[in-house]
Amino acid sequence: MYLSDTIAAIATPPGIGGVGIIRVSGSEAFSIVNRLFSSQGTLDLRKRPNKTIQYGYIVDPDTPDRHIIDEVLLLLMKGPHSYTAEDVIEIQCHGGMVSVRSILQLLLVNGVRLAEPGEFTKRAFLNGRIDLTQAEAIIDIIDAKTEDSLSLAVQQLDGTVSTYIHEVREQLMAMIARLEVTIDYPEEDIEEVTLEEVRDGLLPIMNDMDDLLATAQTGRLIRDGIMAVIVGRPNAGKSSLLNALLRENRAIVTDIPGTTRDSIEEYMNVEGIPLRLIDTAGLRHTEDTIEAMGVQKAKDYMQQADMILCVIDGSTPLTAEEIDILQSVSGKQTIVLINKSDVAQVVTAHDINQIGTYTAIETISAKAGDGTRILNHWVKELVYGGQVAHHQQAVLSNVRHISLMESAKSQLLEAMASIDSAMPVDLVVTDIRGAWEALGDITGDTIRESLVDELFSRFCLGK
């Protein structure tokens, strides 16, 4: 990627729509578009007022009659006060594939390069308009599945996490500077006092890190959603539960065991939290190759699940298969649902508790449409129960950020141990600098270029 290039890409989804947008950014954006733009006024685009909309036509200047491509509006944004901190023009034309592509092709012929995925946002990062946490927040805004996940991404874009990290890095750098004075001037005999002060300074920083890391589970679930897997033996009512929760006949329900041979996945919004709901094949021993593959897939999902909904047929005594299932999900985040409460019950919560340990045991009738209220309650409990709510000022939600924050905390623990063990001061400096660098990797201040390229490659074209 060359930052000196002027780039362009289509910024609207493909297909027919009211408006199509082509975004152009770079030092030659105004001069190139000016050559292709025709309007009643003859004033050069560069001389027109910033942050204004200009009406006219995109024309092909290399045709004898300056052939009109489309009627357009130009949004002018001069750097550094633009999305990329460069000169930017957004060309708004009529929606539809032909018009948008024709204008893009004309730009490419006239010296513009097609942008790489995420290159506009990458330029904003490299030009210092946003840091890496804010760039990643833009992806989260685009991918948000609920209002809560959108709100969390907007908070991150606003700089709540990066502001905290910048403050901590400044404190750590001040400590590093003081300790390096000790190393450079050992004759001053200030090492013991300085290390004690550093230790006292590290304690509140580490406490704040603990508070922020405590938000990680909540933040990750709001951002990425909960993976809830419905398991049970054949004919326990799993598919009926799925249909009841979705309020539609998504899964086929019959009295024939083994009807569901593969997993069925659907997303639903539960109290502002994205829920990935997976109905699996009935867990039992089978000689049917296809059904056996579905059973194995169900077991694999169980290992990945954030929440397991274990459906038990309460109208018949527990079978050996159900006991095996209950034992396999014991100790996990499991909600046992004793189904078919609309008929006489044989299985009780006491029977279930004799087999293992579960988050909760509830009685429902999937056939009657029960289960939604219970699911809502336990999803909220999993996300917010005993933890921070999503409206807290700073919340960690990105797995990369969580991992680096944990690494930074580990480095500070090493520094504390070195101080307590009266280790040489240069070892303490090394540990604190390691934490400083890990935090810098979150915001992009110390991150490797190859990782930056990988992160922005996840963006779509035109963003």
PDB file of all heavy atoms in Angstrom, residues 1 7-11 22-26 83-86 88-89 113-127 130 456 459-463:
ATOM      1  N   MET A   1       0.842  -1.182   0.000  1.00  0.00           N
ATOM      2  CA  MET A   1       0.000   0.000   0.000  1.00  0.00           C
ATOM      3  C   MET A   1       0.884   1.241   0.000  1.00  0.00           C
ATOM      4  O   MET A   1       1.868   1.320   0.740  1.00  0.00           O
ATOM      5  CB  MET A   1      -0.908   0.023   1.237  1.00  0.00           C
ATOM      6  CG  MET A   1      -1.886   1.196   1.224  1.00  0.00           C
ATOM      7  SD  MET A   1      -2.771   1.383   2.789  1.00  0.00           S
ATOM      8  CE  MET A   1      -1.468   2.113   3.757  1.00  0.00           C
ATOM      9  N   ILE A   7      -6.811   6.942  -3.847  1.00  0.00           N
ATOM     10  CA  ILE A   7      -7.546   5.677  -3.910  1.00  0.00           C
ATOM     11  C   ILE A   7      -9.042   5.932  -4.043  1.00  0.00           C
ATOM     12  O   ILE A   7      -9.544   7.017  -3.708  1.00  0.00           O
ATOM     13  CB  ILE A   7      -7.282   4.809  -2.663  1.00  0.00           C
ATOM     14  CG1 ILE A   7      -7.691   5.570  -1.376  1.00  0.00           C
ATOM     15  CG2 ILE A   7      -5.824   4.391  -2.608  1.00  0.00           C
ATOM     16  CD1 ILE A   7      -7.612   4.729  -0.113  1.00  0.00           C
ATOM     17  N   ALA A   8      -9.743   4.923  -4.518  1.00  0.00           N
ATOM     18  CA  ALA A   8     -11.204   5.009  -4.643  1.00  0.00           C
ATOM     19  C   ALA A   8     -11.801   3.626  -4.490  1.00  0.00           C
ATOM     20  O   ALA A   8     -11.154   2.610  -4.771  1.00  0.00           O
ATOM     21  CB  ALA A   8     -11.602   5.608  -5.984  1.00  0.00           C
ATOM     22  N   ALA A   9     -13.060   3.591  -4.027  1.00  0.00           N
ATOM     23  CA  ALA A   9     -13.793   2.335  -3.923  1.00  0.00           C
ATOM     24  C   ALA A   9     -15.272   2.663  -3.787  1.00  0.00           C
ATOM     25  O   ALA A   9     -15.655   3.764  -3.373  1.00  0.00           O
ATOM     26  CB  ALA A   9     -13.332   1.514  -2.725  1.00  0.00           C
ATOM     27  N   ILE A  10     -16.096   1.685  -4.159  1.00  0.00           N
ATOM     28  CA  ILE A  10     -17.537   1.815  -3.968  1.00  0.00           C
ATOM     29  C   ILE A  10     -17.844   1.591  -2.491  1.00  0.00           C
ATOM     30  O   ILE A  10     -17.409   0.599  -1.901  1.00  0.00           O
ATOM     31  CB  ILE A  10     -18.288   0.795  -4.843  1.00  0.00           C
ATOM     32  CG1 ILE A  10     -17.981   1.042  -6.322  1.00  0.00           C
ATOM     33  CG2 ILE A  10     -19.789   0.859  -4.588  1.00  0.00           C
ATOM     34  CD1 ILE A  10     -18.473  -0.058  -7.247  1.00  0.00           C
ATOM     35  N   ALA A  11     -18.579   2.512  -1.878  1.00  0.00           N
ATOM     36  CA  ALA A  11     -18.840   2.456  -0.438  1.00  0.00           C
ATOM     37  C   ALA A  11     -20.228   1.943  -0.102  1.00  0.00           C
ATOM     38  O   ALA A  11     -20.555   1.803   1.083  1.00  0.00           O
ATOM     39  CB  ALA A  11     -18.636   3.841   0.179  1.00  0.00           C
ATOM     40  N   ILE A  22     -19.329   6.480  -4.311  1.00  0.00           N
ATOM     41  CA  ILE A  22     -17.930   6.151  -4.580  1.00  0.00           C
ATOM     42  C   ILE A  22     -17.078   7.100  -3.757  1.00  0.00           C
ATOM     43  O   ILE A  22     -17.254   8.320  -3.835  1.00  0.00           O
ATOM     44  CB  ILE A  22     -17.562   6.290  -6.076  1.00  0.00           C
ATOM     45  CG1 ILE A  22     -18.459   5.404  -6.937  1.00  0.00           C
ATOM     46  CG2 ILE A  22     -16.098   5.934  -6.291  1.00  0.00           C
ATOM     47  CD1 ILE A  22     -19.640   6.112  -7.520  1.00  0.00           C
ATOM     48  N   ARG A  23     -16.198   6.560  -2.948  1.00  0.00           N
ATOM     49  CA  ARG A  23     -15.355   7.379  -2.074  1.00  0.00           C
ATOM     50  C   ARG A  23     -13.969   7.504  -2.694  1.00  0.00           C
ATOM     51  O   ARG A  23     -13.383   6.501  -3.131  1.00  0.00           O
ATOM     52  CB  ARG A  23     -15.279   6.728  -0.691  1.00  0.00           C
ATOM     53  CG  ARG A  23     -14.399   7.453   0.302  1.00  0.00           C
ATOM     54  CD  ARG A  23     -14.429   6.759   1.646  1.00  0.00           C
ATOM     55  NE  ARG A  23     -15.691   6.971   2.344  1.00  0.00           N
ATOM     56  CZ  ARG A  23     -16.033   6.333   3.451  1.00  0.00           C
ATOM     57  NH1 ARG A  23     -15.242   5.413   3.966  1.00  0.00           N
ATOM     58  NH2 ARG A  23     -17.174   6.591   4.046  1.00  0.00           N
ATOM     59  N   VAL A  24     -13.425   8.724  -2.717  1.00  0.00           N
ATOM     60  CA  VAL A  24     -12.097   9.007  -3.272  1.00  0.00           C
ATOM     61  C   VAL A  24     -11.282   9.715  -2.201  1.00  0.00           C
ATOM     62  O   VAL A  24     -11.769  10.657  -1.570  1.00  0.00           O
ATOM     63  CB  VAL A  24     -12.187   9.895  -4.536  1.00  0.00           C
ATOM     64  CG1 VAL A  24     -10.805  10.030  -5.187  1.00  0.00           C
ATOM     65  CG2 VAL A  24     -13.199   9.340  -5.526  1.00  0.00           C
ATOM     66  N   SER A  25     -10.031   9.287  -1.982  1.00  0.00           N
ATOM     67  CA  SER A  25      -9.190   9.894  -0.951  1.00  0.00           C
ATOM     68  C   SER A  25      -7.749   9.962  -1.423  1.00  0.00           C
ATOM     69  O   SER A  25      -7.233   9.020  -2.024  1.00  0.00           O
ATOM     70  CB  SER A  25      -9.262   9.078   0.351  1.00  0.00           C
ATOM     71  OG  SER A  25      -8.432   9.639   1.346  1.00  0.00           O
ATOM     72  N   GLY A  26      -7.094  11.084  -1.135  1.00  0.00           N
ATOM     73  CA  GLY A  26      -5.690  11.241  -1.488  1.00  0.00           C
ATOM     74  C   GLY A  26      -5.378  12.650  -1.950  1.00  0.00           C
ATOM     75  O   GLY A  26      -6.267  13.481  -2.152  1.00  0.00           O
ATOM     76  N   TYR A  83     -12.448  11.865   7.016  1.00  0.00           N
ATOM     77  CA  TYR A  83     -12.372  10.521   7.600  1.00  0.00           C
ATOM     78  C   TYR A  83     -10.945   9.983   7.579  1.00  0.00           C
ATOM     79  O   TYR A  83     -10.470   9.402   8.556  1.00  0.00           O
ATOM     80  CB  TYR A  83     -13.297   9.578   6.831  1.00  0.00           C
ATOM     81  CG  TYR A  83     -13.348   8.169   7.390  1.00  0.00           C
ATOM     82  CD1 TYR A  83     -14.059   7.895   8.558  1.00  0.00           C
ATOM     83  CD2 TYR A  83     -12.680   7.117   6.767  1.00  0.00           C
ATOM     84  CE1 TYR A  83     -14.108   6.615   9.082  1.00  0.00           C
ATOM     85  CE2 TYR A  83     -12.716   5.836   7.286  1.00  0.00           C
ATOM     86  CZ  TYR A  83     -13.432   5.585   8.444  1.00  0.00           C
ATOM     87  OH  TYR A  83     -13.466   4.329   8.960  1.00  0.00           O
ATOM     88  N   THR A  84     -10.237  10.191   6.472  1.00  0.00           N
ATOM     89  CA  THR A  84      -8.867   9.666   6.335  1.00  0.00           C
ATOM     90  C   THR A  84      -7.809  10.678   6.736  1.00  0.00           C
ATOM     91  O   THR A  84      -6.631  10.354   6.734  1.00  0.00           O
ATOM     92  CB  THR A  84      -8.601   9.240   4.884  1.00  0.00           C
ATOM     93  OG1 THR A  84      -8.714  10.397   4.046  1.00  0.00           O
ATOM     94  CG2 THR A  84      -9.578   8.179   4.415  1.00  0.00           C
ATOM     95  N   ALA A  85      -8.203  11.908   7.050  1.00  0.00           N
ATOM     96  CA  ALA A  85      -7.298  13.036   7.297  1.00  0.00           C
ATOM     97  C   ALA A  85      -6.615  13.475   6.005  1.00  0.00           C
ATOM     98  O   ALA A  85      -5.648  14.233   6.041  1.00  0.00           O
ATOM     99  CB  ALA A  85      -6.265  12.709   8.372  1.00  0.00           C
ATOM    100  N   GLU A  86      -7.103  13.001   4.861  1.00  0.00           N
ATOM    101  CA  GLU A  86      -6.637  13.429   3.547  1.00  0.00           C
ATOM    102  C   GLU A  86      -7.784  14.152   2.842  1.00  0.00           C
ATOM    103  O   GLU A  86      -8.901  14.221   3.356  1.00  0.00           O
ATOM    104  CB  GLU A  86      -6.214  12.219   2.702  1.00  0.00           C
ATOM    105  CG  GLU A  86      -5.134  11.374   3.327  1.00  0.00           C
ATOM    106  CD  GLU A  86      -4.884  10.094   2.546  1.00  0.00           C
ATOM    107  OE1 GLU A  86      -5.813   9.616   1.850  1.00  0.00           O
ATOM    108  OE2 GLU A  86      -3.769   9.566   2.628  1.00  0.00           O
ATOM    109  N   VAL A  88     -10.805  14.235   0.669  1.00  0.00           N
ATOM    110  CA  VAL A  88     -11.782  13.187   0.363  1.00  0.00           C
ATOM    111  C   VAL A  88     -12.949  13.793  -0.410  1.00  0.00           C
ATOM    112  O   VAL A  88     -13.432  14.880  -0.074  1.00  0.00           O
ATOM    113  CB  VAL A  88     -12.319  12.521   1.652  1.00  0.00           C
ATOM    114  CG1 VAL A  88     -13.457  11.549   1.332  1.00  0.00           C
ATOM    115  CG2 VAL A  88     -11.203  11.797   2.392  1.00  0.00           C
ATOM    116  N   ILE A  89     -13.368  13.077  -1.438  1.00  0.00           N
ATOM    117  CA  ILE A  89     -14.597  13.422  -2.153  1.00  0.00           C
ATOM    118  C   ILE A  89     -15.465  12.183  -2.215  1.00  0.00           C
ATOM    119  O   ILE A  89     -14.994  11.096  -2.568  1.00  0.00           O
ATOM    120  CB  ILE A  89     -14.313  13.922  -3.585  1.00  0.00           C
ATOM    121  CG1 ILE A  89     -13.544  15.243  -3.553  1.00  0.00           C
ATOM    122  CG2 ILE A  89     -15.628  14.103  -4.355  1.00  0.00           C
ATOM    123  CD1 ILE A  89     -13.235  15.803  -4.932  1.00  0.00           C
ATOM    124  N   ARG A 113      -6.153   4.701  -7.871  1.00  0.00           N
ATOM    125  CA  ARG A 113      -5.942   3.270  -7.624  1.00  0.00           C
ATOM    126  C   ARG A 113      -7.123   2.717  -6.844  1.00  0.00           C
ATOM    127  O   ARG A 113      -7.655   3.385  -5.947  1.00  0.00           O
ATOM    128  CB  ARG A 113      -4.645   3.049  -6.841  1.00  0.00           C
ATOM    129  CG  ARG A 113      -4.446   1.586  -6.395  1.00  0.00           C
ATOM    130  CD  ARG A 113      -3.076   1.365  -5.799  1.00  0.00           C
ATOM    131  NE  ARG A 113      -2.846   2.115  -4.580  1.00  0.00           N
ATOM    132  CZ  ARG A 113      -3.312   1.772  -3.379  1.00  0.00           C
ATOM    133  NH1 ARG A 113      -4.079   0.696  -3.239  1.00  0.00           N
ATOM    134  NH2 ARG A 113      -3.024   2.508  -2.319  1.00  0.00           N
ATOM    135  N   LEU A 114      -7.524   1.480  -7.161  1.00  0.00           N
ATOM    136  CA  LEU A 114      -8.590   0.821  -6.407  1.00  0.00           C
ATOM    137  C   LEU A 114      -8.105   0.542  -4.998  1.00  0.00           C
ATOM    138  O   LEU A 114      -7.039  -0.048  -4.786  1.00  0.00           O
ATOM    139  CB  LEU A 114      -8.996  -0.490  -7.087  1.00  0.00           C
ATOM    140  CG  LEU A 114     -10.151  -1.256  -6.428  1.00  0.00           C
ATOM    141  CD1 LEU A 114     -11.446  -0.457  -6.503  1.00  0.00           C
ATOM    142  CD2 LEU A 114     -10.330  -2.622  -7.090  1.00  0.00           C
ATOM    143  N   ALA A 115      -8.883   0.973  -4.007  1.00  0.00           N
ATOM    144  CA  ALA A 115      -8.493   0.811  -2.604  1.00  0.00           C
ATOM    145  C   ALA A 115      -8.509  -0.651  -2.195  1.00  0.00           C
ATOM    146  O   ALA A 115      -9.303  -1.447  -2.699  1.00  0.00           O
ATOM    147  CB  ALA A 115      -9.439   1.609  -1.711  1.00  0.00           C
ATOM    148  N   GLU A 116      -7.616  -0.991  -1.265  1.00  0.00           N
ATOM    149  CA  GLU A 116      -7.624  -2.317  -0.669  1.00  0.00           C
ATOM    150  C   GLU A 116      -8.718  -2.367   0.404  1.00  0.00           C
ATOM    151  O   GLU A 116      -9.196  -1.329   0.863  1.00  0.00           O
ATOM    152  CB  GLU A 116      -6.261  -2.614  -0.033  1.00  0.00           C
ATOM    153  CG  GLU A 116      -5.113  -2.608  -1.029  1.00  0.00           C
ATOM    154  CD  GLU A 116      -3.762  -2.729  -0.341  1.00  0.00           C
ATOM    155  OE1 GLU A 116      -3.740  -2.792   0.914  1.00  0.00           O
ATOM    156  OE2 GLU A 116      -2.742  -2.737  -1.045  1.00  0.00           O
ATOM    157  N   PRO A 117      -9.130  -3.579   0.826  1.00  0.00           N
ATOM    158  CA  PRO A 117     -10.122  -3.653   1.913  1.00  0.00           C
ATOM    159  C   PRO A 117      -9.642  -2.901   3.153  1.00  0.00           C
ATOM    160  O   PRO A 117      -8.515  -3.100   3.610  1.00  0.00           O
ATOM    161  CB  PRO A 117     -10.231  -5.161   2.179  1.00  0.00           C
ATOM    162  CG  PRO A 117      -9.862  -5.802   0.882  1.00  0.00           C
ATOM    163  CD  PRO A 117      -8.794  -4.914   0.294  1.00  0.00           C
ATOM    164  N   GLY A 118     -10.483  -2.026   3.662  1.00  0.00           N
ATOM    165  CA  GLY A 118     -10.153  -1.293   4.878  1.00  0.00           C
ATOM    166  C   GLY A 118      -9.138  -0.181   4.724  1.00  0.00           C
ATOM    167  O   GLY A 118      -8.705   0.401   5.724  1.00  0.00           O
ATOM    168  N   GLU A 119      -8.756   0.161   3.492  1.00  0.00           N
ATOM    169  CA  GLU A 119      -7.654   1.109   3.331  1.00  0.00           C
ATOM    170  C   GLU A 119      -8.024   2.524   3.759  1.00  0.00           C
ATOM    171  O   GLU A 119      -7.171   3.276   4.229  1.00  0.00           O
ATOM    172  CB  GLU A 119      -7.155   1.117   1.885  1.00  0.00           C
ATOM    173  CG  GLU A 119      -5.882   1.918   1.713  1.00  0.00           C
ATOM    174  CD  GLU A 119      -5.209   1.728   0.367  1.00  0.00           C
ATOM    175  OE1 GLU A 119      -5.658   0.863  -0.422  1.00  0.00           O
ATOM    176  OE2 GLU A 119      -4.234   2.455   0.110  1.00  0.00           O
ATOM    177  N   PHE A 120      -9.281   2.918   3.612  1.00  0.00           N
ATOM    178  CA  PHE A 120      -9.674   4.249   4.065  1.00  0.00           C
ATOM    179  C   PHE A 120      -9.491   4.369   5.581  1.00  0.00           C
ATOM    180  O   PHE A 120      -8.942   5.351   6.077  1.00  0.00           O
ATOM    181  CB  PHE A 120     -11.134   4.541   3.679  1.00  0.00           C
ATOM    182  CG  PHE A 120     -11.343   4.693   2.198  1.00  0.00           C
ATOM    183  CD1 PHE A 120     -11.730   3.612   1.417  1.00  0.00           C
ATOM    184  CD2 PHE A 120     -11.145   5.913   1.579  1.00  0.00           C
ATOM    185  CE1 PHE A 120     -11.922   3.738   0.058  1.00  0.00           C
ATOM    186  CE2 PHE A 120     -11.336   6.051   0.214  1.00  0.00           C
ATOM    187  CZ  PHE A 120     -11.727   4.966  -0.552  1.00  0.00           C
ATOM    188  N   THR A 121      -9.946   3.353   6.323  1.00  0.00           N
ATOM    189  CA  THR A 121      -9.796   3.379   7.774  1.00  0.00           C
ATOM    190  C   THR A 121      -8.333   3.222   8.169  1.00  0.00           C
ATOM    191  O   THR A 121      -7.875   3.817   9.147  1.00  0.00           O
ATOM    192  CB  THR A 121     -10.645   2.265   8.415  1.00  0.00           C
ATOM    193  OG1 THR A 121     -11.999   2.387   7.973  1.00  0.00           O
ATOM    194  CG2 THR A 121     -10.613   2.355   9.927  1.00  0.00           C
ATOM    195  N   LYS A 122      -7.597   2.425   7.405  1.00  0.00           N
ATOM    196  CA  LYS A 122      -6.166   2.258   7.689  1.00  0.00           C
ATOM    197  C   LYS A 122      -5.438   3.584   7.539  1.00  0.00           C
ATOM    198  O   LYS A 122      -4.551   3.918   8.333  1.00  0.00           O
ATOM    199  CB  LYS A 122      -5.566   1.211   6.759  1.00  0.00           C
ATOM    200  CG  LYS A 122      -4.111   0.874   7.069  1.00  0.00           C
ATOM    201  CD  LYS A 122      -3.623  -0.251   6.185  1.00  0.00           C
ATOM    202  CE  LYS A 122      -2.188  -0.636   6.510  1.00  0.00           C
ATOM    203  NZ  LYS A 122      -1.710  -1.754   5.653  1.00  0.00           N
ATOM    204  N   ARG A 123      -5.802   4.368   6.535  1.00  0.00           N
ATOM    205  CA  ARG A 123      -5.182   5.682   6.368  1.00  0.00           C
ATOM    206  C   ARG A 123      -5.546   6.609   7.522  1.00  0.00           C
ATOM    207  O   ARG A 123      -4.721   7.410   7.974  1.00  0.00           O
ATOM    208  CB  ARG A 123      -5.596   6.294   5.031  1.00  0.00           C
ATOM    209  CG  ARG A 123      -4.946   5.596   3.835  1.00  0.00           C
ATOM    210  CD  ARG A 123      -5.161   6.336   2.531  1.00  0.00           C
ATOM    211  NE  ARG A 123      -4.402   5.701   1.457  1.00  0.00           N
ATOM    212  CZ  ARG A 123      -4.056   6.299   0.329  1.00  0.00           C
ATOM    213  NH1 ARG A 123      -4.412   7.554   0.113  1.00  0.00           N
ATOM    214  NH2 ARG A 123      -3.366   5.654  -0.589  1.00  0.00           N
ATOM    215  N   ALA A 124      -6.770   6.503   7.996  1.00  0.00           N
ATOM    216  CA  ALA A 124      -7.168   7.297   9.168  1.00  0.00           C
ATOM    217  C   ALA A 124      -6.295   6.948  10.363  1.00  0.00           C
ATOM    218  O   ALA A 124      -5.877   7.828  11.135  1.00  0.00           O
ATOM    219  CB  ALA A 124      -8.641   7.058   9.485  1.00  0.00           C
ATOM    220  N   PHE A 125      -5.983   5.664  10.526  1.00  0.00           N
ATOM    221  CA  PHE A 125      -5.119   5.207  11.616  1.00  0.00           C
ATOM    222  C   PHE A 125      -3.677   5.682  11.413  1.00  0.00           C
ATOM    223  O   PHE A 125      -3.072   6.266  12.317  1.00  0.00           O
ATOM    224  CB  PHE A 125      -5.177   3.678  11.711  1.00  0.00           C
ATOM    225  CG  PHE A 125      -4.074   3.076  12.538  1.00  0.00           C
ATOM    226  CD1 PHE A 125      -4.032   3.270  13.909  1.00  0.00           C
ATOM    227  CD2 PHE A 125      -3.076   2.317  11.948  1.00  0.00           C
ATOM    228  CE1 PHE A 125      -3.012   2.717  14.682  1.00  0.00           C
ATOM    229  CE2 PHE A 125      -2.059   1.759  12.698  1.00  0.00           C
ATOM    230  CZ  PHE A 125      -2.026   1.961  14.072  1.00  0.00           C
ATOM    231  N   LEU A 126      -3.128   5.465  10.222  1.00  0.00           N
ATOM    232  CA  LEU A 126      -1.745   5.837   9.955  1.00  0.00           C
ATOM    233  C   LEU A 126      -1.547   7.350   9.986  1.00  0.00           C
ATOM    234  O   LEU A 126      -0.460   7.831  10.317  1.00  0.00           O
ATOM    235  CB  LEU A 126      -1.300   5.279   8.601  1.00  0.00           C
ATOM    236  CG  LEU A 126      -1.230   3.746   8.509  1.00  0.00           C
ATOM    237  CD1 LEU A 126      -0.909   3.308   7.092  1.00  0.00           C
ATOM    238  CD2 LEU A 126      -0.206   3.190   9.491  1.00  0.00           C
ATOM    239  N   ASN A 127      -2.587   8.088   9.664  1.00  0.00           N
ATOM    240  CA  ASN A 127      -2.488   9.550   9.699  1.00  0.00           C
ATOM    241  C   ASN A 127      -2.806  10.127  11.072  1.00  0.00           C
ATOM    242  O   ASN A 127      -2.845  11.347  11.249  1.00  0.00           O
ATOM    243  CB  ASN A 127      -3.427  10.166   8.654  1.00  0.00           C
ATOM    244  CG  ASN A 127      -2.942   9.924   7.231  1.00  0.00           C
ATOM    245  OD1 ASN A 127      -1.748   9.875   6.979  1.00  0.00           O
ATOM    246  ND2 ASN A 127      -3.874   9.768   6.297  1.00  0.00           N
ATOM    247  N   ILE A 130      -7.363   8.323  14.210  1.00  0.00           N
ATOM    248  CA  ILE A 130      -7.922   7.359  15.160  1.00  0.00           C
ATOM    249  C   ILE A 130      -6.823   6.394  15.572  1.00  0.00           C
ATOM    250  O   ILE A 130      -5.799   6.278  14.880  1.00  0.00           O
ATOM    251  CB  ILE A 130      -9.102   6.558  14.551  1.00  0.00           C
ATOM    252  CG1 ILE A 130      -8.643   5.805  13.284  1.00  0.00           C
ATOM    253  CG2 ILE A 130     -10.279   7.472  14.256  1.00  0.00           C
ATOM    254  CD1 ILE A 130      -9.702   4.903  12.691  1.00  0.00           C
ATOM    255  N   PHE A 456      -6.673  -4.806   9.230  1.00  0.00           N
ATOM    256  CA  PHE A 456      -7.461  -4.014   8.288  1.00  0.00           C
ATOM    257  C   PHE A 456      -7.940  -4.833   7.101  1.00  0.00           C
ATOM    258  O   PHE A 456      -8.880  -4.424   6.409  1.00  0.00           O
ATOM    259  CB  PHE A 456      -6.654  -2.794   7.825  1.00  0.00           C
ATOM    260  CG  PHE A 456      -6.611  -1.699   8.848  1.00  0.00           C
ATOM    261  CD1 PHE A 456      -5.487  -1.503   9.634  1.00  0.00           C
ATOM    262  CD2 PHE A 456      -7.706  -0.874   9.047  1.00  0.00           C
ATOM    263  CE1 PHE A 456      -5.448  -0.511  10.590  1.00  0.00           C
ATOM    264  CE2 PHE A 456      -7.683   0.124  10.004  1.00  0.00           C
ATOM    265  CZ  PHE A 456      -6.551   0.309  10.787  1.00  0.00           C
ATOM    266  N   PHE A 459     -11.716  -5.603   6.940  1.00  0.00           N
ATOM    267  CA  PHE A 459     -12.711  -4.611   6.534  1.00  0.00           C
ATOM    268  C   PHE A 459     -13.216  -4.912   5.126  1.00  0.00           C
ATOM    269  O   PHE A 459     -12.575  -5.606   4.333  1.00  0.00           O
ATOM    270  CB  PHE A 459     -12.086  -3.214   6.505  1.00  0.00           C
ATOM    271  CG  PHE A 459     -11.962  -2.556   7.870  1.00  0.00           C
ATOM    272  CD1 PHE A 459     -11.071  -3.029   8.815  1.00  0.00           C
ATOM    273  CD2 PHE A 459     -12.733  -1.459   8.176  1.00  0.00           C
ATOM    274  CE1 PHE A 459     -10.940  -2.421  10.041  1.00  0.00           C
ATOM    275  CE2 PHE A 459     -12.613  -0.838   9.412  1.00  0.00           C
ATOM    276  CZ  PHE A 459     -11.724  -1.314  10.342  1.00  0.00           C
ATOM    277  N   CYS A 460     -14.381  -4.333   4.810  1.00  0.00           N
ATOM    278  CA  CYS A 460     -14.892  -4.436   3.466  1.00  0.00           C
ATOM    279  C   CYS A 460     -14.295  -3.331   2.602  1.00  0.00           C
ATOM    280  O   CYS A 460     -13.715  -2.372   3.104  1.00  0.00           O
ATOM    281  CB  CYS A 460     -16.431  -4.336   3.459  1.00  0.00           C
ATOM    282  SG  CYS A 460     -17.044  -2.828   4.271  1.00  0.00           S
ATOM    283  N   LEU A 461     -14.430  -3.480   1.273  1.00  0.00           N
ATOM    284  CA  LEU A 461     -13.978  -2.454   0.363  1.00  0.00           C
ATOM    285  C   LEU A 461     -14.796  -1.181   0.580  1.00  0.00           C
ATOM    286  O   LEU A 461     -15.994  -1.226   0.834  1.00  0.00           O
ATOM    287  CB  LEU A 461     -14.142  -2.905  -1.093  1.00  0.00           C
ATOM    288  CG  LEU A 461     -13.089  -3.880  -1.619  1.00  0.00           C
ATOM    289  CD1 LEU A 461     -13.523  -4.424  -2.968  1.00  0.00           C
ATOM    290  CD2 LEU A 461     -11.735  -3.214  -1.731  1.00  0.00           C
ATOM    291  N   GLY A 462     -14.128  -0.038   0.479  1.00  0.00           N
ATOM    292  CA  GLY A 462     -14.816   1.241   0.612  1.00  0.00           C
ATOM    293  C   GLY A 462     -14.904   1.754   2.025  1.00  0.00           C
ATOM    294  O   GLY A 462     -15.462   2.828   2.261  1.00  0.00           O
ATOM    295  N   LYS A 463     -14.336   1.000   3.008  1.00  0.00           N
ATOM    296  CA  LYS A 463     -14.408   1.433   4.406  1.00  0.00           C
ATOM    297  C   LYS A 463     -13.015   1.718   4.935  1.00  0.00           C
ATOM    298  O   LYS A 463     -12.069   1.023   4.597  1.00  0.00           O
ATOM    299  CB  LYS A 463     -15.089   0.375   5.272  1.00  0.00           C
ATOM    300  CG  LYS A 463     -15.481   0.924   6.643  1.00  0.00           C
ATOM    301  CD  LYS A 463     -16.466   2.060   6.531  1.00  0.00           C
ATOM    302  CE  LYS A 463     -16.828   2.621   7.910  1.00  0.00           C
ATOM    303  NZ  LYS A 463     -17.678   3.814   7.821  1.00  0.00           N
TER     304      LYS A 463
END
